[in-house]
Amino acid sequence: QVQLVESGGGLVQAGGSLRLSCAASGRTFSSYDMAWFRQAPGKEREFVSRITRSGISKYYTDSVKGRFTISRDNAKNTVYLQMNNLQPEDTAVYYCAADPRITIATMYRGDRYDYWGQGTQVTVSS
């Protein structure tokens, strides 16, 4: 079992930055691939980024490439999402997710992740 708790959301002006954190419980954090998803009002949940358990491979949806950076600290059981140059279209609830069996083929699918956090709101004003 893994419990995930996100933090770091808030209100920021366009062009600003936020860093989200997702703290995981349990001793096997390094066995899980970690991902960030987001859901805007009235829209479906969408994949944002994924980092493999080793931290070596990172993936991003096109709309955040060059602006967002995912990282993890396995010693602290925490995954981060550094978000720069935020835009109003980035406004959403951001969720972290974990699963030990994610592949390139399945990483975009939320239903493939077993563990989810409660979400943290990010609001970007224009």
Side-chain angles (χ1 to χ4, degrees), residues 81-106:
L81 186 68
Q82 177 66 44
M83 305 186 295
N84 297 330
N85 191 23
L86 283 159
Q87 300 300 315
E89 53 265 35
D90 296 316
T91 295
V93 178
Y94 284 70
Y95 299 91
C96 69
D99 198 274
R101 301 173 303 272
I102 294 299
T103 67
I104 290 177
T106 63

Side-chain angles (χ1 to χ4, degrees), residues 95-116:
Y95 299 91
C96 69
D99 198 274
R101 301 173 303 272
I102 294 299
T103 67
I104 290 177
T106 63
M107 65 183 183
Y108 301 101
R109 294 181 52 176
D111 62 353
R112 293 302 183 100
Y113 293 79
D114 281 347
Y115 303 103
W116 290 85

